[in-house]
Amino acid sequence: MSTLPYTLDPDDPSAVPMGLIVLQTDETIEPEFRSLFIDDKSPLYVSRIPSGAEVNTDTLAQMETDLPAAADLLPKARPYRVVGYGCTSASSVIGSDRVEQMVMQTCNTATVTNPLRAASACARHLGVSKFALLSPYIEEVNTPLRRAFAEQGISMDVFGTFGESEEAKVVRISTDSVVDAAVRLGRDSTVDAVFLSCTNLRTLTAIPRIEAQIGKPVLSSNQSLAWHMKQLNVSQN
């Protein structure tokens, strides 16, 4: 065997990596992020966090304990400008500030966001605050979610749910079902936007269809998170 010489390429200082912590049960966020980040040259590194097959407040709260270990699995060669935690409902149960604290215990990142924090920032950017909420969750999960948005100045008095707690079913809810439900909610005259909650709910192709029918902005967990991560990545330059 011969030991051969080599050189090292320098890192591109304009392409600082971003991190993403994805639920073990999530089958949607990575495919949707491939489309949402297709023109972004910053590498996106992904770690997984244990999550229950059923979505309830107990399984969501458990992720607070597991966040440092999941963040610790992201590559460490370079610091991050932003790490995203891909769970809307858990962020409402744990709290955005606490999520950030737990991630920063083991990951060198300037900031941390999640779909709740991201959607709130997106709403402020668009100047909308009265949302119709469409979620797949059971009511014990919907209640803290709506409360958390209210604390950000976003009302969700109009809301509907598919009432499904099993993640394997949530990811397979049809796009037509999402569109039909969101249009029904979004046509309410008291709302000025729609939020499609859950990173595991397939929403990317549904958004333009809904907007075309109701003439109002439509945000989703994944779309909002991707937008906010890009904004934070640029602002940290």
Coordinates of all heavy atoms in Angstrom, one line a residue, residues 67 85 87-104 111-120 148-149 151-152 228:
L67 N -33.6 16.5 21.7 CA -33.0 17.5 20.8 C -31.5 17.7 20.8 O -30.9 17.7 19.8 CB -33.7 18.9 21.0 CG -35.0 19.2 20.2 CD1 -35.7 20.4 20.8 CD2 -34.6 19.4 18.7
Y85 N -35.6 23.3 13.2 CA -36.2 22.1 13.8 C -37.6 21.9 13.2 O -38.4 22.7 13.3 CB -36.3 22.3 15.3 CG -37.2 21.3 16.1 CD1 -36.9 20.0 15.9 CD2 -38.2 21.7 16.9 CE1 -37.7 19.0 16.6 CE2 -39.0 20.8 17.6 CZ -38.7 19.5 17.4 OH -39.5 18.5 18.1
C87 N -40.6 20.6 13.4 CA -41.9 20.1 13.9 C -42.7 21.3 14.5 O -42.2 22.0 15.4 CB -41.6 19.1 15.1 SG -43.2 18.3 15.6
T88 N -43.8 21.5 13.9 CA -44.7 22.7 14.2 C -45.3 22.5 15.6 O -45.2 23.3 16.5 CB -45.8 22.9 13.2 OG1 -45.3 22.6 11.9 CG2 -46.4 24.3 13.3
S89 N -45.9 21.3 15.8 CA -46.7 21.1 17.0 C -45.8 20.9 18.2 O -46.1 21.5 19.3 CB -47.6 19.9 16.9 OG -46.8 18.8 16.4
A90 N -44.6 20.3 18.1 CA -43.7 20.2 19.2 C -43.1 21.5 19.6 O -42.9 21.8 20.8 CB -42.6 19.2 18.9
S91 N -42.9 22.4 18.6 CA -42.4 23.7 18.9 C -43.4 24.5 19.8 O -43.0 25.3 20.7 CB -42.1 24.5 17.6 OG -41.1 23.8 16.9
S92 N -44.7 24.2 19.6 CA -45.7 24.9 20.4 C -45.8 24.3 21.8 O -46.1 25.0 22.7 CB -47.1 24.8 19.7 OG -47.6 23.5 19.8
V93 N -45.5 23.1 21.9 CA -45.5 22.4 23.2 C -44.3 22.7 24.0 O -44.3 23.0 25.2 CB -45.7 20.9 23.1 CG1 -45.5 20.2 24.4 CG2 -47.1 20.6 22.5
I94 N -43.1 22.6 23.4 CA -41.8 22.8 24.0 C -41.5 24.3 24.2 O -41.0 24.8 25.2 CB -40.7 22.2 23.2 CG1 -40.9 20.7 23.1 CG2 -39.3 22.4 23.9 CD1 -40.0 20.0 22.1
G95 N -41.9 25.1 23.2 CA -41.6 26.5 23.2 C -40.4 26.8 22.3 O -39.4 26.1 22.4
S96 N -40.5 27.8 21.4 CA -39.4 28.1 20.5 C -38.1 28.5 21.2 O -37.0 28.0 20.7 CB -39.8 29.3 19.6 OG -40.9 28.9 18.7
D97 N -38.2 29.2 22.2 CA -36.9 29.6 22.9 C -36.2 28.4 23.5 O -35.0 28.3 23.5 CB -37.2 30.6 24.1 CG -37.6 32.0 23.5 OD1 -37.3 32.3 22.3 OD2 -38.1 32.8 24.3
R98 N -37.0 27.5 24.1 CA -36.5 26.3 24.6 C -35.9 25.4 23.6 O -34.8 24.7 23.8 CB -37.5 25.5 25.4 CG -37.0 24.3 26.2 CD -35.9 24.6 27.2 NE -35.5 23.4 28.0 CZ -34.4 23.4 28.7 NH1 -33.6 24.4 28.7 NH2 -34.1 22.3 29.4
V99 N -36.6 25.3 22.4 CA -36.0 24.5 21.3 C -34.6 25.0 20.9 O -33.7 24.3 20.7 CB -37.0 24.6 20.1 CG1 -36.3 24.1 18.8 CG2 -38.2 23.7 20.3
E100 N -34.5 26.3 20.8 CA -33.3 27.0 20.5 C -32.2 26.6 21.5 O -31.1 26.3 21.1 CB -33.4 28.5 20.3 CG -32.2 29.2 19.9 CD -32.4 30.6 19.5 OE1 -32.8 31.4 20.5 OE2 -32.3 31.0 18.4
Q101 N -32.5 26.7 22.8 CA -31.6 26.4 23.8 C -31.1 25.0 23.7 O -29.9 24.7 23.9 CB -32.2 26.7 25.2 CG -32.5 28.1 25.5 CD -33.4 28.2 26.8 OE1 -33.7 27.3 27.4 NE2 -33.8 29.5 27.1
M102 N -32.0 24.1 23.5 CA -31.6 22.6 23.5 C -30.7 22.3 22.3 O -29.7 21.5 22.4 CB -32.8 21.8 23.5 CG -33.7 21.9 24.7 SD -32.8 21.6 26.3 CE -32.9 19.8 26.3
V103 N -31.0 22.9 21.1 CA -30.2 22.7 19.9 C -28.8 23.3 20.1 O -27.8 22.7 19.8 CB -30.9 23.3 18.7 CG1 -29.9 23.3 17.5 CG2 -32.1 22.5 18.4
M104 N -28.7 24.5 20.7 CA -27.4 25.2 20.9 C -26.6 24.5 21.9 O -25.4 24.8 22.0 CB -27.7 26.6 21.2 CG -28.1 27.5 20.1 SD -28.3 29.2 20.5 CE -28.4 30.0 18.9
T111 N -28.3 30.8 15.1 CA -29.7 30.9 15.4 C -30.4 29.6 15.1 O -29.9 28.8 14.3 CB -30.4 32.1 14.7 OG1 -31.7 32.3 15.2 CG2 -30.5 31.8 13.2
V112 N -31.6 29.4 15.7 CA -32.4 28.3 15.5 C -33.8 28.7 15.2 O -34.4 29.6 15.8 CB -32.4 27.3 16.7 CG1 -33.4 26.1 16.5 CG2 -31.0 26.9 17.0
T113 N -34.5 28.1 14.2 CA -35.9 28.4 13.9 C -36.7 27.1 13.8 O -36.1 26.0 13.9 CB -36.0 29.3 12.7 OG1 -37.4 29.7 12.5 CG2 -35.6 28.5 11.4
N114 N -38.0 27.2 13.7 CA -38.9 26.1 13.6 C -40.1 26.6 12.9 O -40.3 27.8 12.6 CB -39.2 25.6 15.0 CG -39.9 26.6 15.9 OD1 -41.1 26.9 15.6 ND2 -39.2 27.2 16.8
P115 N -41.0 25.8 12.5 CA -42.2 26.2 11.7 C -43.1 27.3 12.3 O -43.6 28.1 11.7 CB -43.0 24.9 11.4 CG -41.9 23.9 11.4 CD -41.0 24.3 12.5
L116 N -43.2 27.2 13.7 CA -44.0 28.1 14.4 C -43.4 29.5 14.3 O -44.0 30.5 14.0 CB -44.2 27.7 15.8 CG -44.8 28.7 16.8 CD1 -46.2 29.1 16.4 CD2 -44.8 28.0 18.2
R117 N -42.1 29.6 14.7 CA -41.3 30.8 14.6 C -41.3 31.3 13.2 O -41.4 32.5 13.0 CB -39.9 30.6 15.2 CG -39.1 31.8 15.2 CD -37.7 31.6 15.9 NE -37.9 31.7 17.4 CZ -36.9 31.5 18.2 NH1 -35.6 31.2 17.7 NH2 -37.0 31.6 19.5
A118 N -41.1 30.4 12.3 CA -40.9 30.8 10.9 C -42.3 31.4 10.3 O -42.3 32.4 9.6 CB -40.5 29.6 10.0
A119 N -43.4 30.7 10.6 CA -44.6 31.2 10.0 C -45.0 32.5 10.6 O -45.6 33.4 10.0 CB -45.7 30.1 10.3
S120 N -44.7 32.7 11.9 CA -45.0 34.0 12.5 C -44.2 35.1 11.8 O -44.7 36.2 11.6 CB -44.6 33.9 14.0 OG -45.4 33.0 14.7
A148 N -50.0 29.2 21.0 CA -48.7 29.6 20.7 C -48.7 30.7 19.6 O -48.0 31.7 19.6 CB -47.8 28.5 20.3
F149 N -49.6 30.5 18.6 CA -49.7 31.5 17.5 C -50.3 32.8 18.1 O -49.9 33.9 17.7 CB -50.5 31.0 16.3 CG -49.7 30.2 15.3 CD1 -49.8 28.9 15.2 CD2 -48.8 30.9 14.5 CE1 -49.0 28.2 14.2 CE2 -48.0 30.3 13.6 CZ -48.1 28.9 13.4
E151 N -50.0 34.0 20.9 CA -48.9 34.7 21.7 C -48.0 35.5 20.7 O -47.3 36.5 21.1 CB -48.1 33.7 22.5 CG -48.8 33.1 23.7 CD -48.1 32.0 24.3 OE1 -47.0 31.6 23.8 OE2 -48.6 31.5 25.4
Q152 N -48.0 35.2 19.4 CA -47.3 35.9 18.4 C -48.2 36.9 17.7 O -47.7 37.5 16.7 CB -46.7 34.9 17.4 CG -45.7 33.9 18.0 CD -44.5 34.6 18.6 OE1 -43.9 35.5 18.0 NE2 -44.2 34.1 19.8
H228 N -37.8 31.1 6.1 CA -37.2 31.7 7.3 C -35.7 31.3 7.4 O -34.9 32.2 7.7 CB -37.9 31.4 8.5 CG -37.7 32.3 9.7 ND1 -37.6 31.9 11.0 CD2 -37.5 33.7 9.7 CE1 -37.3 33.0 11.7 NE2 -37.3 34.0 11.0

